Amino acid sequence: MQPRAPGDSLLIGRALAQSGQLNEAEAHFAQVLAGDPGQPEALAFALKRAMALGDHASVIAMTDRAIAAGVIDPTLFSALGHAHLFCGNRPAAAAALENSLALDPGQFQLRLKLGQLHETAGNRYQALTAYFRAVIDAQKQDRWKSEATTEPGLHEAVKQAMAFIVEGRERLFRSALGPLRRMHGAVAVERVDRCLDAYLGGMGGSFDHPMQRPTYLFVPGLSSAGFYPGELFPWIDELEKNAGAIREEALAVLAGGNGVLEPFLGQGSDGVATGQLRNDRGEAAWDAFFFYRHGRRYDENHLRCPVTSAVVEKLPLVRIEDHAPEILFSVLTPGSHILPHTGMTNSRLVAHLALVIPPGCAIRVGAETREWEEGRVLVFDDTHEHEAWNHGDQTRVVLIVDVWNHYLTAIEREAFSTLVQTMWSFHRACGFKSVEQSLEEQKLQTTTAM
């Protein structure tokens, strides 16, 4: 009797499976897999059948053959991971689940299982990152925000994961400040410790001023001022002394065409749609020529503007990898209005050197509104609600520079930098690809609980 062609076995197996003759169907699908270990229909049936029978050794054998044949599929690695887990091979199970998640990161239930494996193995940091990302991804889909949004069989597992997250994050972030605390004493870093308290508590407390609403980190006890007096900053003289040359470099940049500018709110963003910009005359535009963006230096832009570059590099800039400083020519077109918003942290202040200021341009910080004066510097705390507008007929240009808050000590600056870097390293290990993503998504977990 001639062996059946693979196509015949597939058709017969499918018909037998549909008629409920599972043992016979399994035999025909096995013939298909003998020639093609990754044939999707046959593999799916065979895996489901083996798992239903508790034949985990067969699941492992089939998935290993399919993977060796070049099949790369998240469900395949998931099946392999669960089979290894049932067979007691936890390291192999964790590796398979990691592979599945690399292909399909949004499997939050699978990531919860991975966290449990790491916790059982004593890998606390890996467990923490897995649990945190699992909760974030679940809550993005409105799951695991309460018992009502959590599958009954997962209530205890999710509660335990959240408790692990709360304890683990606090321990991780507190320990980052340990060396400075031991070296300089607890009082020297007390305000940064209190900053961390507020962060871990979800930023739900009160701030030093009713119009302060930081979106990330708040250091208490610095100042409740919106605008800061210029005499606090000796470096302002150097900026204002070079204002003319900086202005000429800014005008040369603008003369080079719009191709050298990028939207301040990010490529492809729509400030009008997101409620951040408005222009009653036409299209709103808030553009930027960056010298630094989230701490990344734009070397070509520095070369194009050597005077500006030399002056700003002498300033007490906030330097935190992937976070700060932010330095740019800020370009606001006629009629454009940057709507009220607040910044991330009062640990740094924002300085504006006014370069091109048509009539009708102003900035409000808190309850106070000021007009820029060309060649002069304004310094303010942008965690106070603020907005800016250009009601004039020409483009407004200012140089924006992030600097440390005057009232932070040198030790506090070091402690704050260490804390932020530790937080970002953790969020990057959780799989976040950008600072904006980590800041936005971490809010979900910190503002809800089971």
Side-chain angles (χ1 to χ4, degrees):
M1 181 176 177
Q2 294 292 324
R4 297 184 184 277
D8 293 339
S9 293
L10 182 63
L11 292 173
I12 295 171
R14 181 186 302 155
L16 290 169
Q18 290 172 347
S19 66
Q21 301 177 69
L22 301 183
N23 290 335
E24 294 82 355
E26 184 177 4
H28 284 278
F29 282 132
Q31 290 182 24
V32 176
L33 293 175
D36 181 2
Q39 205 289 323
E41 184 179 354
L43 183 61
F45 176 90
L47 285 174
K48 183 177 180 181
R49 179 83 170 144
M51 287 187 285
L53 296 172
D55 186 0
H56 306 298
S58 291
V59 172
I60 293 171
M62 282 188 287
T63 53
D64 282 344
R65 284 197 300 269
I67 292 167
V71 180
I72 304 298
D73 182 84
T75 59
L76 195 64
F77 283 109
S78 176
L80 178 61
H82 283 93
H84 276 306
L85 185 58
F86 278 110
C87 292
N89 190 341
R90 291 180 176 274
L97 297 188
E98 293 275 13
N99 285 330
S100 182
L101 288 163
L103 295 169
D104 182 7
Q107 303 175 87
F108 50 86
Q109 290 190 16
L110 198 66
R111 202 177 292 276
L112 178 68
K113 177 63 70 177
L114 178 63
Q116 292 171 331
L117 283 171
H118 282 310
E119 183 180 4
T120 301
N123 302 324
R124 295 189 62 84
Y125 187 76
Q126 291 91 331
L128 181 61
T129 58
Y131 282 147
F132 187 78
R133 178 66 184 271
V135 172
I136 291 297
D137 287 346
Q139 292 188 353
K140 284 168 62 179
Q141 299 183 38
D142 291 324
R143 307 278 288 280
W144 299 1
K145 291 186 173 183
S146 64
E147 289 197 0
T149 59
T150 305
E151 303 87 327
L154 289 180
H155 280 177
E156 288 307 312
V158 172
K159 285 181 180 179
Q160 290 173 13
M162 287 188 171
F164 192 95
I165 290 169
V166 169
E167 187 277 332
R169 290 169 78 228
E170 179 166 6
R171 178 173 40 82
L172 175 65
F173 300 154
R174 295 265 186 230
S175 65
L177 300 177
L180 287 169
R181 196 180 292 112
R182 290 189 292 271
M183 184 179 299
H184 302 287
V187 174
V189 296
E190 178 187 6
R191 290 195 295 198
V192 181
D193 270 324
R194 290 167 59 197
C195 168
L196 179 55
D197 289 340
Y199 172 81
L200 293 171
M203 298 291 285
S206 60
F207 305 111
D208 291 340
H209 190 281
M211 296 197 77
Q212 278 184 304
R213 287 189 293 276
T215 60
Y216 185 32
L217 290 170
F218 177 76
V219 183
L222 296 182
S223 171
S224 61
F227 288 102
Y228 276 57
E231 54 265 25
L232 293 177
F233 311 101
W235 46 263
I236 282 181
D237 290 341
E238 186 71 11
L239 261 182
E240 293 183 345
K241 184 174 67 176
N242 288 278
I246 294 172
R247 182 180 189 274
E248 290 305 312
E249 289 182 343
L251 292 174
V253 164
L254 294 180
N258 290 334
V260 300
L261 302 178
E262 57 185 281
F264 179 83
L265 297 172
Q267 295 289 354
S269 65
D270 185 345
V272 177
T274 57
Q276 295 175 287
L277 287 175
R278 184 177 67 207
N279 191 327
D280 295 333
R281 306 182 203 170
E283 183 178 356
W286 179 17
D287 292 323
F289 180 83
F290 286 106
F291 294 92
Y292 284 91
R293 177 67 159 168
H294 300 316
R296 182 172 72 86
R297 194 177 195 271
Y298 285 47
D299 292 335
E300 289 187 7
N301 290 355
H302 279 264
L303 291 173
R304 291 186 63 167
C305 303
V307 174
T308 307
S309 175
V311 172
V312 300
E313 292 287 13
K314 297 177 183 177
L315 302 180
L317 303 176
V318 183
R319 296 186 183 273
I320 304 175
E321 183 183 356
D322 293 324
H323 280 71
E326 192 125 309
I327 302 175
L328 61 142
F329 290 140
S330 172
V331 180
L332 193 63
T333 57
S336 290
H337 185 166
I338 304 169
L339 298 175
H341 61 288
T342 57
M344 294 195 302
T345 174
N346 65 333
S347 63
R348 60 109 167 93
L349 302 174
V350 179
H352 283 190
L353 172 63
L355 301 175
V356 180
I357 310 297
C361 293
I363 180 171
R364 176 186 67 82
V365 177
E368 186 177 358
T369 299
R370 293 189 184 183
E371 296 182 353
W372 292 279
E373 299 178 44
E374 289 188 0
R376 303 297 301 274
V377 172
L378 289 176
V379 182
F380 63 96
D381 175 356
D382 75 341
T383 63
H384 290 247
E385 181 186 88
H386 60 287
E387 60 183 319
W389 56 85
N390 179 358
H391 295 328
D393 297 322
Q394 301 174 20
T395 296
R396 183 231 64 178
V397 184
V398 300
L399 172 68
I400 296 181
V401 180
D402 284 348
V403 295
W404 283 109
N405 191 305
H406 171 77
Y407 294 106
L408 278 176
T409 68
I411 295 170
E412 287 173 328
R413 294 178 185 184
E414 184 178 357
F416 186 86
S417 298
T418 300
L419 176 61
V420 170
Q421 199 58 62
T422 302
M423 289 177 172
W424 171 230
S425 295
F426 168 69
H427 291 120
R428 187 162 47 196
C430 292
F432 298 138
K433 303 300 183 184
S434 67
V435 175
E436 291 91 344
Q437 184 188 30
S438 71
L439 295 182
E440 187 61 30
E441 294 187 357
Q442 72 193 1
K443 295 176 187 175
L444 296 172
Q445 192 276 333
T446 56
T447 56
T448 58
M450 284 281 291

